[in-house]
Amino acid sequence: MRKNALIVLIVMAVNFGLWAWFNRPAEPQLDFTGQIKAVSFSPYRANQDPLVNKFPTAAQIEEDVVFLKGKVGAIRTYSSMEGMEAIPAFADKHGIPVIAGAWLDKRLKRNETEMAGLIKNLHEHKNITSAIVGNEAILRGDFKPAQLSEYIKRVKEAAPHVQVSTAEPWHVWINNPELADNVDFIAIHILPYWERVPEEKAIEWSMQRYHQVVKRFPGKHVLVAEIGWPSNGERWGKAKASIANEAKFLRQFMNLAAQQNIDYCIMEAFDQPWKRPLEGVVGAHWGIWTVDRENKIPLVGTILEDSLWPVQYGVSLLCLIPMLYFLYRRKDQPFQGKLFFCLLLQTVTSSLVWIAFTPITIEFLPAETAAWAFLLPMQIGLLAVVLINGFEMSEMLWPEGLKRRFYPLRHDADEGLQKVSIHLACCKEPPAMVIATLNSLAALDYPDYEVIVVDNNTHDPALWQPLEEHCAKLGERFRFFHLEEWPGYKAGALNFALQNTSADSRIIAVVDSDYQVRASWLRSLTPYFDKPDVAIVQSPQDHREWEGDPYKTVCAWEYDGFFRIGMVHRNERNAIIQHGTMTMIRKAVMEEVGGWGEWCICEDAELGLRVFERGYQAVYVPESFGQGLTPDSYAGFKGQRFRWAYGAVQILKRHWRMLLPWNKTSSLDNGQKYHFIAGWLPWFADATQIAVLIVSLFWSLGMLALPRYFGTPLSIFLLPPLGAFLFKLFHFMWLYKTRVRCGLWERIGAAIAGLALTHTIAKAIFQGLTTKNKPFLRTPKCEERCAVVRGLMMAREELFVLCTLWVAAAGVIARYGTENPDIVTWALILLVQSTPYLAALCLSLLSVMPNLVPGVSRRTACQNTCQIAAAPVGLGATMSVASVPLKAERKDKV
């Protein structure tokens, strides 16, 4: 209890520290306690939009004027029509000076109405201190300087008592100095965000622009008519929109302006949601106050970016409920393992809270909101996979708490050993390979067994007749059956063997046609059947004759991880995957459950689940007693994995009700249900990656073609997939180092081989969900090596996706450059998403490359096997263990 309490305290402290660190206050800034000199004033509310003729009422305008009284020294308007002409009157009523404006553009008739409204107000209201005729009209290209000057002259002539100018960005004044000839003062816009200036340099840059204009026009007073920083939205180059950055910028500038007596007008009083279609999310968030007229920018005191983070931290503490349950159930697990998983559980929970709160703390465009909603279930799934991998790590990196450990049981006496019927199904296999397997079975050190060989659907006599002849040579223990046309694929052949099993056999053993077994296999494992509740005894699927072949080496190590890690972990809760080679099953149980399921292309795993549903036990002995051949090509490698993944979906579709936690009609316990769901969930996560990839490509296309509607993806879209991918590699490399004990390069190769199957697994999952059945995919052995072109063709789908992702990443960088870190991160995400496809291409090419070991002749697995097949092995003969080479580390006990 003390150790568990210490774990909880450590996790809570780390969690609080991370929330506090990521939400730490911005660096201290000088408070601004004075009055803001002036603000741009647009009185639109959340549901109002001048673009669709929805304007504020007179009462709302006056309400805003009253709100600003005392807070600002003056207000700047942009229009003198459509209700905005009433602003000077309300400001006059409440004693607020006005910088009155007229909006001018290419609509000449409308311009006349604007001019008339402005001139009328200049005559009627003495609180108008100056007038600004036109706003960025030259920048937009609506007028030439001479044309705009005519409008300015008309206002000056109509109201000579008022100072008149026009407002343009600083560089427009610098580039068009003749514009200053007809104005009374210079009104400049300085908006460093739109100039892609990073926030740490924004003040320095702004003051340089101001003094540049002052120096250029020494005889004119300079008003900074717009200056500010947005509080929300995407990055623009290196400029980042945030509340903290807006607060820092405004506090620094307004204090500096007070010191240097600079006239300015802050852009702007209130957030303006109606600007989103024009400028994106960022256009709506330049206000000092929110659109609801609430405080947004702290002008005094601490500057926090997310004031809701304490609430989010509090919600993340809900993790204590599953954490305490975990600690209660895992009493025997070592302290390090429990601490590791609890920290990971809290990290995942906090990540989910961050994802869920993001739409509250950050405003999205409609497309971003849709993407968030679409990706949310997938992100939850990715985080669930992280927890599954983490739970496996917590037990397999610190295995002291494991209880179900099984080892070979040497039974030297023949008395008491039950008769075993060994079933071998083959279809269109090279005879030499199968004969080598038969020879190894003939050499078994076991007193009472039979071997039933079933060759089904092989129409070429040259393939099956040598097997029939060899079985006859091996003696009466070996019986051969050839089924010319037989349904059910491998399951059908094994069911036929079951029907023809001798009546006195008590145990069914199954080996694949390419396996060579150790003589001690049966004698070492059959004693476990002395326990009446044991129905399955399984040893690993292992491989041989891969040494010196880089492609087969990485494949062999990729296979090995599941049997050294996953199967050992599943065995702890009696939930192993029963795989159809090197397996033994109690014959009575086989008959009880109805034999092999011919409807499923993974008949072995499906049978194992049905056995568990009947309440039986399985024993997994993690020592290799036989080795088969790895697929000779990448096509064979991924075809096999496609079958496994597709079969997993078939099994789930048939048995999902049995796996529901609340289903009490099944004999499966919660641990078994967990492993069968958690074991296949990562494959479904691979399938979701295709959906994420499609969204990524669609979004990238939108960024290139419709940048107004598709902004740079925010961190909410970037970090979870990237984090899950990195954790997957971390999980793989650490567990392989600890449990598989291969070298660094072997671990890297195995990781590449695993990644190369991502697309194939995803296809299998989608097809499994949308179709009822697929033909059984036989894993071909002893294929002849093919040309490089064949290597490219075997990975043609992956190559196409790879090129598409790389083109998208290059297009985004070419369009937006590398100044914006979010753009660079997005391009990196696209490249990360391409890694499984690059791995597939590399593995496919590796499978067709010449042997890379100098001086070693290239030999296929079949050529090596033929030497064994040629050896004279008869009934009662023995086979040297040396003829089935095993890696030394694979003999280690678990």
Side-chain angles (χ1 to χ4, degrees):
M1 291 297 294
R2 290 181 179 178
K3 290 182 178 179
N4 288 346
L6 178 60
I7 288 173
V8 172
L9 290 175
I10 292 173
V11 171
M12 291 181 64
V14 171
N15 185 41
F16 178 82
L18 290 174
W19 277 103
W21 169 259
F22 285 111
N23 294 279
R24 62 192 182 278
E27 60 268 23
Q29 299 291 325
L30 185 65
D31 292 344
F32 180 77
T33 56
Q35 186 183 67
I36 300 172
K37 280 200 172 184
V39 293
S40 297
F41 178 61
S42 295
Y44 295 97
R45 307 302 171 99
N47 60 343
Q48 295 167 348
D49 185 350
L51 300 178
V52 293
N53 298 320
K54 291 184 179 180
F55 301 102
T57 65
Q60 290 173 330
I61 293 174
E62 184 172 10
E63 182 181 338
D64 284 346
V65 170
V66 172
F67 177 87
L68 293 174
K69 183 178 181 179
K71 298 181 178 68
V72 302
I75 57 178
R76 177 193 169 188
T77 68
Y78 288 80
S79 177
S80 294
M81 59 181 291
E82 296 172 332
M84 301 301 107
E85 69 275 9
I87 295 175
F90 290 127
D92 197 3
K93 176 181 176 181
H94 296 284
I96 300 179
V98 174
I99 304 170
W103 184 272
L104 302 179
D105 53 34
K106 293 182 179 180
R107 296 171 291 178
L108 300 182
K109 290 184 178 180
R110 187 185 186 283
N111 291 348
E112 294 304 317
T113 305
E114 283 277 3
M115 293 287 287
L118 174 61
I119 292 171
K120 182 175 181 294
N121 276 330
L122 293 178
H123 287 152
E124 294 179 356
H125 301 291
K126 302 300 182 184
N127 63 321
I128 298 179
T129 60
S130 56
I132 295 182
V133 182
N135 186 75
E136 299 186 349
I138 294 178
L139 178 68
R140 293 192 304 272
D142 291 340
F143 300 107
K144 298 295 184 182
Q147 295 172 309
L148 182 58
S149 295
E150 292 301 319
Y151 284 101
I152 295 171
K153 290 177 182 178
R154 286 172 56 186
V155 176
K156 291 178 66 175
E157 292 172 357
H161 62 286
V162 176
Q163 297 285 300
V164 182
S165 185
T166 188
E168 294 286 347
W170 63 275
H171 61 85
V172 174
W173 289 95
I174 295 294
N175 296 333
N176 299 276
E178 68 275 16
L179 189 61
D181 296 339
N182 298 303
V183 300
D184 298 314
F185 63 96
I186 308 296
I188 62 173
H189 294 171
I190 301 177
L191 300 170
Y193 172 84
W194 290 123
E195 304 276 358
R196 305 175 186 268
V197 180
E199 52 272 14
E200 65 272 12
K201 297 181 179 180
I203 288 295
E204 178 185 1
W205 182 90
S206 298
M207 297 308 297
Q208 289 174 350
R209 303 290 77 77
Y210 170 77
H211 289 295
Q212 182 180 358
V213 175
V214 169
K215 184 178 180 180
R216 181 63 181 83
F217 304 103
K220 301 283 186 178
H221 177 68
V222 176
L223 166 68
V224 182
E226 281 185 6
I227 190 167
W229 195 274
S231 62
N232 199 347
E234 64 186 45
R235 285 182 180 267
W236 191 248
K238 294 183 179 180
K240 181 180 180 181
S242 74
I243 288 178
N245 288 339
E246 181 178 6
K248 289 190 295 184
F249 180 83
L250 292 183
R251 282 163 70 161
Q252 291 176 20
F253 173 77
M254 291 190 295
N255 278 304
L256 193 60
Q259 295 173 9
Q260 299 186 16
N261 196 28
I262 298 173
D263 283 336
Y264 63 85
C265 180
I266 297 298
M267 175 70 187
E268 58 191 315
F270 309 116
D271 284 345
Q272 300 293 300
W274 65 270
K275 292 183 179 180
R276 289 192 197 100
L278 303 176
E279 301 174 2
V281 168
V282 72
H285 293 281
W286 289 77
I288 299 174
W289 294 276
T290 69
V291 69
D292 298 319
R293 279 54 179 168
E294 296 176 351
N295 287 332
K296 183 179 73 170
I297 301 302
L299 297 180
V300 296
T302 302
I303 301 175
L304 289 176
E305 179 61 39
D306 182 6
S307 60
L308 287 178
W309 80 263
V311 176
Q312 298 175 63
Y313 166 73
V315 175
S316 73
L317 292 180
L318 291 173
C319 177
L320 290 175
I321 298 174
M323 187 186 305
L324 293 174
Y325 177 77
F326 167 77
L327 292 173
Y328 171 76
R329 292 298 302 269
R330 304 302 298 157
K331 296 176 182 178
D332 298 329
Q333 189 169 355
F335 177 85
Q336 301 96 314
K338 290 191 288 187
L339 177 61
F340 171 83
F341 184 72
C342 287
L343 286 170
L344 183 64
L345 182 62
Q346 182 65 77
T347 301
V348 168
T349 304
S350 295
S351 299
L352 283 174
V353 172
W354 171 65
I355 293 171
F357 270 77
T358 302
I360 301 174
T361 58
I362 300 176
E363 182 177 334
F364 289 162
L365 288 168
E368 291 172 331
T369 303
W372 175 86
F374 177 76
L375 294 175
L376 180 60
M378 300 179 191
Q379 291 178 332
I380 293 174
L382 286 175
L383 292 175
V385 171
V386 168
L387 279 181
I388 290 169
N389 291 339
F391 181 63
E392 183 180 60
M393 292 176 70
S394 72
E395 293 195 332
M396 297 306 296
L397 292 175
W398 298 276
E400 295 87 350
L402 298 182
K403 299 177 181 178
R404 295 184 88 243
R405 302 190 184 194
F406 301 104
Y407 306 98
L409 301 175
R410 181 69 186 181
H411 197 290
D412 293 323
D414 292 346
E415 293 78 15
L417 292 177
Q418 303 180 60
K419 184 173 181 178
V420 179
S421 181
I422 302 173
H423 297 172
L424 187 156
C426 57
C427 174
K428 304 174 184 177
E429 301 289 3
M433 180 189 75
V434 184
I435 288 172
T437 299
L438 296 176
N439 288 343
S440 73
L441 294 175
L444 284 171
D445 175 21
Y446 199 76
D448 195 6
Y449 72 96
E450 66 175 2
V451 179
I452 299 177
V453 182
V454 180
D455 182 279
N456 62 323
N457 301 310
T458 302
H459 306 303
D460 184 358
L463 294 178
W464 64 265
Q465 286 181 352
L467 305 182
E468 183 180 37
E469 295 170 0
H470 197 74
C471 285
K473 292 179 182 178
L474 292 176
E476 61 182 10
R477 278 183 173 174
F478 287 76
R479 289 188 285 155
F480 179 85
F481 297 89
H482 171 66
L483 307 176
E484 188 71 16
E485 295 288 344
W486 197 256
Y489 306 104
K490 182 180 179 181
L494 291 176
N495 280 332
F496 178 88
L498 182 62
Q499 295 169 6
N500 288 273
T501 298
S502 61
D504 57 342
S505 294
R506 296 292 178 265
I507 301 170
I508 304 297
V510 180
V511 295
D512 280 351
S513 59
D514 60 318
Y515 265 69
Q516 296 177 18
V517 302
R518 286 167 57 183
S520 61
W521 173 38
L522 299 182
R523 190 177 289 274
S524 298
L525 300 183
T526 53
Y528 278 109
F529 287 100
D530 291 343
K531 294 183 178 181
D533 62 341
V534 172
I536 298 173
V537 177
Q538 183 80 58
S539 61
Q541 176 178 324
D542 203 358
H543 299 88
R544 70 180 190 277
E545 299 177 22
W546 47 263
E547 295 86 349
D549 186 316
Y551 162 71
K552 291 190 175 184
T553 296
V554 299
C555 290
W557 285 115
E558 194 276 337
Y559 284 119
D560 206 45
F562 175 70
F563 299 98
R564 290 290 168 184
I565 302 169
M567 287 285 276
V568 175
H569 190 223
R570 297 176 71 109
N571 178 67
E572 181 66 12
R573 292 168 188 82
N574 190 35
I576 65 169
I577 290 290
Q578 193 268 340
H579 51 90
T581 189
M582 302 308 299
T583 187
M584 301 181 196
I585 311 155
R586 192 182 296 273
K587 179 186 174 185
V589 175
M590 284 284 295
E591 294 172 341
E592 178 184 343
V593 300
W596 303 92
E598 298 182 19
W599 59 270
C600 182
I601 65 174
C602 275
E603 72 291 330
D604 41 13
E606 193 274 337
L607 174 67
L609 181 56
R610 280 189 282 132
V611 170
F612 288 133
E613 287 175 350
R614 297 298 180 98
Y616 290 103
Q617 296 287 310
V619 168
Y620 178 67
V621 179
E623 180 169 327
S624 175
F625 283 92
Q627 296 174 314
L629 303 175
T630 60
D632 284 330
S633 69
Y634 175 61
F637 185 51
K638 68 178 185 177
Q640 183 185 62
R641 199 59 54 94
F642 181 95
R643 176 168 62 86
W644 293 353
Y646 187 94
V649 180
Q650 285 184 306
I651 295 169
L652 288 174
K653 288 166 69 174
R654 175 70 68 95
H655 296 282
W656 65 271
R657 292 178 181 85
M658 293 291 186
L659 298 174
L660 295 175
W662 52 84
N663 186 344
K664 304 302 181 183
T665 63
S666 169
S667 297
L668 296 175
D669 59 35
N670 288 333
Q672 291 172 319
K673 293 176 180 179
Y674 165 79
H675 276 292
F676 274 97
I677 294 174
W680 286 325
L681 187 60
W683 283 353
F684 282 84
D686 286 341
T688 64
Q689 291 290 355
I690 287 188
V692 173
L693 184 147
I694 292 172
V695 172
S696 299
L697 291 175
F698 175 77
W699 198 277
S700 299
L701 180 62
M703 291 172 62
L704 297 173
L706 299 170
R708 177 178 294 181
Y709 304 100
F710 291 86
T712 306
L714 303 176
S715 298
I716 185 67
F717 306 135
L718 308 181
L719 297 183
L722 179 60
F725 176 79
L726 294 177
F727 187 83
K728 180 181 180 179
L729 291 181
F730 170 72
H731 159 267
F732 186 96
M733 297 298 287
W734 195 0
L735 276 179
Y736 256 67
K737 179 180 180 181
T738 305
R739 305 299 301 173
V740 184
R741 301 176 184 175
C742 54
L744 175 62
W745 290 110
E746 286 84 359
R747 294 198 297 272
I748 293 174
I752 292 173
L755 279 176
L757 296 168
T758 301
H759 181 72
T760 296
I761 291 171
K763 283 179 56 181
I765 296 297
F766 279 120
Q767 292 188 28
L769 291 172
T770 55
T771 61
K772 287 187 177 181
N773 55 68
K774 282 281 183 180
F776 183 88
L777 299 176
R778 183 181 64 89
T779 302
K781 307 295 192 307
C782 301
E783 292 180 317
E784 291 299 327
R785 291 301 180 93
C786 43
V788 173
V789 173
R790 176 75 185 277
L792 295 174
M793 290 300 296
M794 286 190 294
R796 58 187 178 276
E797 292 182 13
E798 292 89 340
L799 179 60
F800 173 77
V801 177
L802 174 69
C803 293
T804 303
L805 286 167
W806 283 6
V807 168
V812 168
I813 291 296
R815 170 69 172 78
Y816 292 94
T818 58
E819 286 186 334
N820 186 342
D822 289 342
I823 291 291
V824 176
T825 303
W826 179 245
L828 178 62
I829 288 292
L830 294 174
L831 295 179
V832 168
Q833 287 180 298
S834 75
T835 52
Y837 302 92
L838 178 61
L841 177 62
C842 292
L843 190 64
S844 185
L845 291 175
L846 188 64
S847 72
V848 298
M849 289 176 63
N851 197 312
L852 299 181
V853 180
V856 178
S857 62
R858 174 202 251 168
R859 300 175 63 86
T860 67
C862 279
Q863 289 174 324
N864 293 329
T865 301
C866 285
Q867 292 181 338
I868 299 175
V873 180
L875 184 64
T878 59
M879 186 178 189
S880 171
V881 174
S883 65
V884 186
L886 301 173
K887 295 193 292 292
E889 60 268 35
R890 295 198 182 195
K891 295 182 181 179
D892 293 342
K893 299 296 187 293
V894 176

